[in-house]
């Protein structure tokens, strides 16, 4: 049973194709209305009734824990976890972290850790993390993880930082899961015409939306790179690598920094309360 994050855009397009292949798919998203509608549409289009919605709000670590608990109780099988959520908005979550960093990285990090034993017991299994070439502008500082950057373009910097975290998360997870048959891949799906920038400032939307219609891919095209990482045979030796439409690519230097990847992992554990008596 793949867990697929998303009720629209790349998430829904990926879930649709997985359902067409006969997989049992759990659509995990924040909005019950959109999630149920997407699951219903996919069941109707594919004839696969094994497509279900479960509520998950990555901006709430409490919600992530509740989702994982419910999933582990109800679903004995987990072979594929696709961490797809992406927001570009500024703001702060109920947990006190910057919104993009928590939704795009910390929430996914906690979810993956809580489901990791199930992935191991169902191995061979895969984790696919939807990253972005925007990681090129990421600047992660371990002592400031989760705090929004300052400056005029702080929301954009925050987004880039979270995408760098995605690339490093995949790299470190692959290192730690060597020998378990759990493999992990970070993927840049291309610049996709989705609602990613719907919360951006109006002046930025005015620049991005026309550009999106001209240059960006459709969601189904963007989903293909994700599907390749999820289903292509023989990728196991490439665990931890960064992929685009044209296969594995070398990430920007910060995305190859193993010391930073380890510091991000340890900092993320601390922020979400793992590895502590309370966690």
């Amino acid at each position: 049973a793949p867990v697929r994050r998303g009720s629209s855009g790349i998430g829904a397009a990926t879930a649709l194709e997985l359902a067409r292949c006969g997989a049992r798919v759990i659509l995990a998203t924040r909005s019950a209305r959109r999630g149920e509608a997407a699951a219903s549409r996919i069941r109707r289009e594919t004839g696969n009734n094994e497509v279900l919605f479960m509520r998950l709000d990555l901006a709430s670590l409490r919600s992530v824990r509740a989702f994982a608990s419910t999933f582990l109780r109800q679903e004995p099988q987990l072979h594929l976890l696709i961490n797809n959520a992406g927001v570009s908005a500024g703001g702060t979550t109920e947990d006190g972290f910057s919104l993009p960093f928590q939704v795009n990285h910390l929430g996914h990090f906690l979810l993956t850790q809580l489901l990791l034993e199930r992935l191991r017991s169902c191995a061979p299994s895969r984790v696919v993390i939807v990253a972005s070439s925007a990681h090129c502008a990421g600047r992660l500082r371990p002592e400031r993880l989760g705090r929004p950057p300052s400056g005029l373009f702080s929301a954009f910097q925050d987004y880039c930082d979270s995408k760098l975290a995605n690339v490093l998360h995949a790299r470190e997870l692959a290192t730690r899961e060597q020998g378990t048959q759990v493999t992990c891949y970070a993927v840049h799906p291309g610049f996709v015409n989705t609602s990613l920038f719907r919360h951006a400032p109006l002046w930025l939307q005015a620049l991005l939306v026309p550009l999106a219609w001209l240059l960006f891919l459709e969601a189904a095209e963007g989903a293909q790179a994700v599907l390749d990482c999820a289903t292509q045979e023989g990728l196991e030796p490439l665990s931890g690598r960064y992929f685009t439409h044209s296969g594995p690519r070398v990430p920007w230097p910060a995305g190859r920094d193993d010391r930073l990847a380890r510091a991000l992992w340890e900092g993320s554990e601390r922020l979400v309360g793992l590895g502590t008596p309370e966690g």
Side-chain angles (χ1 to χ4, degrees):
V3 171
R4 189 67 189 88
R5 184 57 190 73
S7 60
S8 62
I10 294 173
T14 308
L16 178 67
E17 292 307 314
L18 291 170
R20 278 197 177 122
C21 296
R24 178 176 174 84
V25 179
I26 309 298
L27 269 177
T29 192
R30 184 179 52 142
S31 165
R33 181 180 59 80
R34 290 201 306 271
E36 293 284 12
S40 175
R41 177 177 61 80
I42 292 168
R43 288 194 298 267
R44 190 170 61 250
E45 288 188 27
T46 63
N48 180 349
N49 288 323
E50 300 291 300
V51 180
L52 307 173
F53 159 76
M54 287 178 62
R55 188 176 184 278
L56 169 63
D57 181 2
L58 290 162
S60 164
L61 298 181
R62 185 168 39 88
S63 174
V64 174
R65 291 181 184 278
F67 169 87
S69 176
T70 302
F71 178 88
L72 292 171
R73 191 169 61 248
Q74 295 180 358
E75 299 290 332
Q77 299 292 316
L78 177 59
H79 300 279
L80 175 61
L81 173 63
I82 304 180
N83 290 326
N84 165 75
V87 298
S88 62
T92 305
T93 68
E94 66 181 46
D95 301 291
F97 304 119
S98 88
L99 182 66
F101 193 77
Q102 178 165 335
V103 170
N104 300 354
H105 168 66
L106 272 184
H108 285 148
F109 177 84
L110 176 59
L111 178 65
T112 304
Q113 290 303 100
L114 294 176
L115 298 181
L116 197 50
E117 281 299 328
R118 183 61 49 85
L119 285 161
R120 287 173 183 157
S121 69
C122 295
S125 53
R126 295 183 181 185
V127 178
V128 178
I129 301 174
V130 178
S132 166
S133 60
H135 78 272
C136 68
R139 296 197 306 260
L140 287 175
R141 295 175 186 162
E143 71 279 3
R144 289 189 52 82
L145 286 182
R147 293 189 225 164
S150 56
L152 180 61
F153 297 102
S154 60
F156 180 70
Q157 184 63 56
D158 218 354
Y159 176 76
C160 295
D161 293 351
S162 73
K163 294 292 109 179
L164 174 57
N166 291 156
V167 174
L168 293 173
H169 179 198
R171 192 175 182 91
E172 183 68 10
L173 179 60
T175 298
R176 291 172 182 250
E177 291 303 303
Q178 284 179 358
T180 66
Q181 289 193 292
V182 177
T183 54
C184 185
Y185 313 91
V187 57
H188 168 59
F191 294 101
V192 179
N193 190 3
T194 69
S195 53
L196 172 66
F197 294 102
R198 66 189 178 277
H199 299 304
L202 289 176
W203 66 268
L204 187 55
Q205 287 188 35
L207 294 174
L208 290 171
V209 172
L211 186 66
W213 287 111
L214 287 171
L215 301 178
F216 287 20
L217 302 171
E218 288 304 311
E221 296 175 274
Q224 191 55 55
V226 179
L227 286 162
D228 288 345
C229 286
T231 62
Q232 192 173 319
E233 292 184 9
L235 287 188
E236 287 76 14
L238 301 175
S239 183
R241 295 284 296 277
Y242 170 71
F243 286 75
T244 69
H245 275 92
S246 46
R249 286 290 173 268
V250 177
W252 289 77
R256 308 193 299 270
D257 186 333
D258 288 325
R259 185 179 298 178
L260 184 58
R262 192 162 55 251
L264 171 69
W265 184 283
E266 292 168 356
S268 299
E269 278 188 326
R270 188 175 64 254
L271 292 179
V272 301
L274 291 176
T276 66
E278 310 86 69

